[in-house]
Amino acid sequence: MTGFIIVQPQVRPFVAHIQLNRPKELNALNLQLMQELRDALRELDADEQVRVIVISGNEKAFAAGADIRQMAGLTAMDMYNIDQFATWDAIKKIKKPLIAAVSGFALGGGCELAMLCDMIVAAETAKFGQPEIKIGVMPGAGGTQRLTRAVGKALAMEMVLTGKFISAEEALKSGLINRIVPVDLYLEEAFRLAAEVAKQSPLAVKMAKESVLRAFDSTLDEGLHFERKNFYLLFASDDQKEGMNAFIEKREPVFTGK
Ligand code: DAK
């Protein structure tokens, strides 16, 4: 069986790139593609030469959702037995920052995958939506939760209940994405942003990601407590000494992730 993703482990120093590659089906996320994506992410998460991972599709589509043809005939018990959530949960556990580079359609599971990433760089052609309601279901991989937290109840409710798409402009205005760039630059901009993060201490970056994400799952006090523990823990790293000494010595730090 041919693969549905293309992996470049070093597209920039310490930056990896995974391209979803089912162009004829607008990168519809079938089970095989999701499993390949999970396996590649786990491998890159364990690779010391990788600090940030960019996930993209192509110009026409980041991903137009889960594969409707593959899902159409399934029963509830099939869905239960396939347990796709295990794959999505594994992606949620990736410690290194994930940046989605989105051009064209990011719909349904495609929008949910982009939202599972930590930052989103969008081309001006990007369209985001949760159109599951139009095929008789509803979002199943975080679309009612992450979208609502990102854009607020009013817009999330409208998108989920009507299936309407929003433009890159509206996505930026509502806080769903980080920036919009011309379509010929979106991948370059995602790599540039990734490289900026990859220059920092990989330990501090991972703990900072973990701490920001904790804000969604905790009360303020619990979140502050979690943040404080990670902050203390970083004083056990060489990178903390290197970062602070480099500042005092007026030079660039060289972080090793130790
Ligand atoms: N699945 C399968 N094939 C798809 C597809 C999809 N989601 N989206 C597009 N394609 C296929 C089309 O069938 C077509 O194939 P051929 O007919 O050429 O063989 C080809 O890609 C090109 O699409 P179009 O001809 O439709 O292209 P247009 O430019 O005219 O339209 C479109 C583009 C994106 C507006 C349209 O294709 C469209 O509406 N696509 C479906 C969008 C959608 O409804 N997405 C939500 C799917 S449901 C879960 C995790 C995730 C999910 C659920 C559970 N668990 C963890 C349990 C997610 C669910 C979903 O995403």
Side-chain angles (χ1 to χ4, degrees):
M1 231 185 302
T2 55
F4 291 130
I5 62 171
I6 298 169
V7 182
Q8 294 172 281
Q10 287 289 309
V11 74
R12 295 283 182 281
F14 298 114
V15 176
H17 177 208
I18 300 178
Q19 184 184 6
L20 311 180
N21 190 37
R22 269 192 98 194
K24 281 216 292 287
E25 294 83 5
L26 305 184
N27 290 332
L29 305 168
N30 64 9
L31 292 173
Q32 189 193 332
L33 188 156
M34 287 307 295
Q35 282 162 5
E36 287 177 17
L37 179 62
R38 175 203 58 200
D39 293 347
L41 284 170
R42 278 184 171 158
E43 209 166 296
L44 295 170
D45 211 29
D47 181 342
E48 280 192 14
Q49 292 308 305
V50 172
R51 294 182 180 175
V52 184
I53 303 160
V54 174
I55 302 177
S56 76
N58 54 52
E59 277 192 17
K60 175 134 198 234
F62 177 74
D67 190 324
I68 299 171
R69 286 180 211 284
Q70 196 174 53
M71 281 188 300
L74 298 182
T75 64
M77 289 309 113
D78 293 332
M79 290 301 276
Y80 178 78
N81 285 326
I82 292 168
D83 193 14
Q84 270 203 70
F85 291 108
T87 311
W88 287 74
D89 286 347
I91 296 176
K92 184 179 157 214
K93 288 197 186 115
I94 298 299
K95 289 200 162 113
K96 292 173 184 170
L98 306 178
I99 298 178
V102 175
S103 176
F105 299 110
L107 305 177
C111 187
E112 291 171 316
L113 178 60
M115 292 190 292
L116 196 52
C117 294
D118 303 300
M119 291 188 272
I120 303 178
V121 172
E124 54 205 354
T125 55
K127 287 186 186 61
F128 298 87
Q130 298 288 162
E132 291 90 337
I133 203 78
K134 293 185 170 173
I135 53 170
V137 287
M138 57 172 277
T144 65
Q145 301 302 303
R146 291 198 180 90
L147 184 68
T148 307
R149 283 164 166 79
V151 307
K153 177 185 164 191
L155 182 56
M157 199 62 98
E158 189 175 336
M159 289 171 71
V160 169
L161 298 189
T162 70
K164 93 165 192 165
F165 301 166
I166 60 169
S167 65
E169 206 60 57
E170 204 171 354
L172 184 66
K173 221 169 42 186
S174 58
L176 182 62
I177 65 175
N178 291 74
R179 66 199 60 175
I180 306 175
V181 287
V183 66
D184 50 331
L185 294 179
Y186 80 101
L187 210 44
E188 197 48 46
E189 177 58 16
F191 294 155
R192 195 204 58 72
L193 179 60
E196 205 179 315
V197 177
K199 277 197 313 213
Q200 318 304 331
S201 159
L203 284 170
V205 163
K206 278 194 256 181
M207 287 192 206
K209 162 174 170 162
E210 188 183 34
S211 301
V212 171
L213 289 177
R214 186 50 75 107
F216 293 104
D217 291 326
S218 62
T219 62
L220 180 59
D221 265 355
E222 284 161 359
L224 288 171
H225 184 69
F226 189 82
E227 177 189 77
R228 204 158 300 165
K229 294 288 179 197
N230 273 348
F231 181 75
Y232 291 151
L233 191 54
L234 286 170
F235 281 74
S237 70
D238 293 348
D239 281 352
Q240 174 266 328
K241 300 288 175 285
E242 168 63 10
M244 294 193 180
N245 286 334
F247 174 81
I248 293 164
E249 293 159 13
K250 298 188 187 303
R251 60 174 175 82
E252 286 296 311
V254 181
F255 293 120
T256 58
K258 303 279 185 248

